[in-house]
Amino acid sequence: SKKLPRDTVFFVMKSFTMRDLKISMQKGIWATQSRNEAKLNAAFQDHEAVVLFFSVNESRAFQGYAKMASKTGDAEQVWTAVDGTQAWGGVFKVKWQTIYDLSFNDTMNLRNPLNENKPIKISRDGQEVHHDLGFQLCGIFDD
């Protein structure tokens, strides 16, 4: 993987639409559900790097991964959902590392010990990914 420090923690971020992901890639920002903010901010504070794996709902793939580049609420932009209803937390900065459609078929053997050993593709928004598995997944992306 792209020279991530050993002290990296990993999370899965789910996106409702590809449009939101494109905004993130263009502007270098993301907003998550409020309930994810505390654990992401704690991880950002306590570890050298926080990596987020992105997957659009129903896409049957991961679309890439990014490094968290600020705590939530530290970016000046405001994120408005298409329907204007979702209670998003504070916007934060991300640095996209790899953008690539990685099919769930190529991750079938990857199981997350932090999620009852379920396949990585079965992850809720904000699910933490086991350290070794996170590095392994980055490696598959960057192959």
Side-chain angles (χ1 to χ4, degrees), residues 11-58:
F11 294 91
V12 171
M13 293 283 110
K14 301 294 278 190
S15 174
F16 285 116
T17 67
M18 200 57 217
R19 175 187 168 274
D20 283 347
L21 222 51
K22 289 205 164 83
I23 291 171
S24 175
M25 291 167 183
Q26 284 160 1
K27 296 188 174 177
I29 58 172
W30 188 247
T32 187
Q33 298 177 64
S34 316
R35 63 180 180 80
N36 290 330
E37 286 192 90
K39 67 180 164 188
L40 287 180
N41 286 336
F44 186 75
Q45 209 169 309
D46 298 344
H47 299 275
E48 235 176 298
V50 177
V51 164
L52 309 173
F53 297 111
F54 286 87
S55 175
V56 175
N57 289 342
E58 311 297 321

Side-chain angles (χ1 to χ4, degrees), residues 110-122:
L110 302 181
R111 295 181 169 271
N112 187 2
L114 300 183
N115 189 24
E116 298 167 12
N117 239 17
K118 290 177 181 159
I120 185 72
K121 68 173 188 163
I122 303 173

